[in-house]
Amino acid sequence: MPHVLYVRFHPAPGEDVYQGLLTLLGELTPVVEALPPDAAFADVRGALRYFGRDAAGLAEIVRVRALARYGVDCTVGVAANPLLARMAAQEAQEPGAPASRGGRSGGGSGARSGGGSGRAAGSVRTVPGDPDAVAAFLARKPPIALPGVGPATARTLSAYGLDSAARIAAAPLSTLQRILGAATARRVHAWARGIDPAPVTPNAPARAMGAEHRFRHDELDPVRRRRALLTLADGLGVRLRTSGQVAAAISLTVRYADRSTTTRSRTLAEPTAHTPALTAAAYALHDALGLQRARVRSVALRFEGLMDAELASHQLTFDPADEKSRRLEAAADRARARFGISAVRPAGFLDVA
């Protein structure tokens, strides 16, 4: 029976609103897994009998309360496990996708959320629990639609004719192991059959800080977008070092002219507050999106997994350039502390719009 909700909020809420939305989910079930900055899992298995509704009915309650209290709509995927629930929500965001219980379809595709012109943003999409329904739902999904399968793995599978979840599921595991390696093959083979043993794990959202740059006009120039990322990373790096903290992960959110968004995250090699390392990670996330002709309204960086700098380890290096960079950064921080935040800026600094 479907009992897992994947809830994607849009427009992407601020930190205070996001905390309120998590509390809202907590009114239905204590089993809530935060996926900042704009999503969460909820296992409502124990709430079905209490509320006298199925999981899709509880998803509608979430939508109504989120709209009423915070003015935030949401797309909800409902399924028997987190993998299928996430995929259901992604499908519900696609133009023309069917919605259950009167929900509306809209938004972009893939990892994008939000609504394009003339389409409502929120919807509820349910994947029934019986194996035939799961197989039908997955049958024509391309490899990239499976959460956890990246572009490189998807291209490799497609090159061998495994261009749909149905074909991956039908392929012998030994064949997949020769193509992908043993561990990856086992995971992908299970995902293609709709199997996800990972439970919804209750957690608190990691300590985080973020900032956003809104362009004066929809921005097509990747150089100016990178300058904006440099500006954000530099400002957040200063805030981290001033507060004696380091970040363990970074996420980039790009908002487009049609109000849809794309969010990508990565864990840093080591927790850090070093601006060049933070900037390099932001650039890598941006470049991986391949935004050749995208009209970008804003970019936002969020540093997650914050911890005290004294508790974090740092890999020593014999690179003199790295040592010099860190000494210069410390000197710049002292200048900022004495003469103001704008006393020292990167050469590519972009004035706030």
Side-chain angles (χ1 to χ4, degrees), residues 252-322:
L252 166 67
T253 299
V254 179
R255 186 176 298 280
Y256 306 95
D258 64 356
R259 299 182 183 179
S260 63
T261 62
T262 299
T263 299
R264 292 289 185 271
S265 304
R266 70 165 48 185
T267 301
L268 300 172
E270 64 180 19
T272 185
H274 188 39
T275 292
L278 299 172
T279 304
Y283 285 169
L285 289 172
H286 174 266
D287 295 345
L289 292 176
L291 304 176
Q292 295 180 353
R293 296 189 178 183
R295 298 172 59 198
V296 174
R297 181 71 50 83
S298 68
V299 292
L301 287 182
R302 179 182 172 91
F303 295 155
E304 301 170 349
L306 304 190
M307 66 181 71
D308 293 337
E310 295 180 354
L311 301 179
S313 60
H314 170 58
Q315 179 65 48
L316 297 177
T317 175
F318 294 102
D319 182 3
D322 180 73

Side-chain angles (χ1 to χ4, degrees), residues 34-56:
L35 301 172
D38 61 355
F41 280 120
D43 189 329
V44 297
R45 180 166 21 198
L48 302 179
R49 183 174 180 181
Y50 180 85
F51 286 93
R53 294 172 177 261
D54 60 11

Side-chain angles (χ1 to χ4, degrees), residues 194-226:
I195 298 173
D196 181 13
V200 176
T201 305
N203 67 344
R207 295 166 59 189
M209 67 170 60
E212 182 179 22
H213 181 92
R214 294 180 179 273
F215 297 103
R216 291 188 178 92
H217 308 285
D218 296 337
E219 189 57 68
L220 291 138
D221 185 358
V223 175
R224 285 186 59 83
R225 295 199 297 263
R226 286 170 66 92

Side-chain angles (χ1 to χ4, degrees), residues 9-278:
F9 303 108
H10 38 79
E15 291 188 27
D16 291 343
V17 173
Y18 181 69
Q19 292 287 348
L21 291 165
L22 293 179
T23 301
L24 185 154
L25 289 173
E27 295 172 0
L28 300 181
T29 173
V31 188
V32 177
E33 181 175 345
L35 301 172
D38 61 355
F41 280 120
D43 189 329
V44 297
R45 180 166 21 198
L48 302 179
R49 183 174 180 181
Y50 180 85
F51 286 93
R53 294 172 177 261
D54 60 11
L58 294 180
E60 291 292 355
I61 290 177
V62 170
R63 285 195 62 208
V64 170
R65 291 182 179 180
L67 276 169
R69 297 183 191 178
Y70 301 100
V72 175
D73 205 347
C74 48
T75 299
V76 188
V78 184
N81 61 50
L83 171 88
L84 293 172
R86 187 191 293 264
M87 294 181 69
Q90 290 175 345
E91 181 176 272
Q93 291 172 204
E94 296 173 358
S100 66
R101 293 187 176 269
R104 299 164 294 173
S105 61
S109 60
R112 297 188 180 183
S113 64
S117 175
R119 293 197 302 269
S123 60
V124 175
R125 172 73 164 94
T126 301
V127 179
D130 63 277
D132 290 341
V134 171
F137 172 74
L138 291 171
R140 296 186 179 181
K141 292 284 190 297
I144 195 67
L146 298 172
V149 174
T153 301
R155 286 194 297 269
T156 299
L157 290 167
S158 295
Y160 285 88
L162 303 174
D163 56 1
S164 69
R167 291 184 176 182
I168 296 171
L173 180 58
S174 58
T175 299
L176 289 175
Q177 288 175 337
R178 286 195 296 272
I179 297 172
L180 302 177
T184 302
R186 286 195 295 270
R187 290 195 299 269
V188 173
H189 196 237
W191 293 338
R193 292 177 291 149
I195 298 173
D196 181 13
V200 176
T201 305
N203 67 344
R207 295 166 59 189
M209 67 170 60
E212 182 179 22
H213 181 92
R214 294 180 179 273
F215 297 103
R216 291 188 178 92
H217 308 285
D218 296 337
E219 189 57 68
L220 291 138
D221 185 358
V223 175
R224 285 186 59 83
R225 295 199 297 263
R226 286 170 66 92
R227 288 179 61 191
L229 293 175
L230 170 63
T231 302
L232 293 174
D234 179 71
L236 290 171
V238 172
R239 288 172 56 188
L240 285 172
R241 296 190 296 275
T242 301
S243 61
Q245 300 182 98
V246 292
I250 180 175
S251 69
L252 166 67
T253 299
V254 179
R255 186 176 298 280
Y256 306 95
D258 64 356
R259 299 182 183 179
S260 63
T261 62
T262 299
T263 299
R264 292 289 185 271
S265 304
R266 70 165 48 185
T267 301
L268 300 172
E270 64 180 19
T272 185
H274 188 39
T275 292
L278 299 172

Side-chain angles (χ1 to χ4, degrees), residues 329-341:
E329 186 173 70
D333 287 344
R334 290 193 295 270
R336 289 184 174 111
R338 183 172 181 180
F339 301 109
I341 192 66

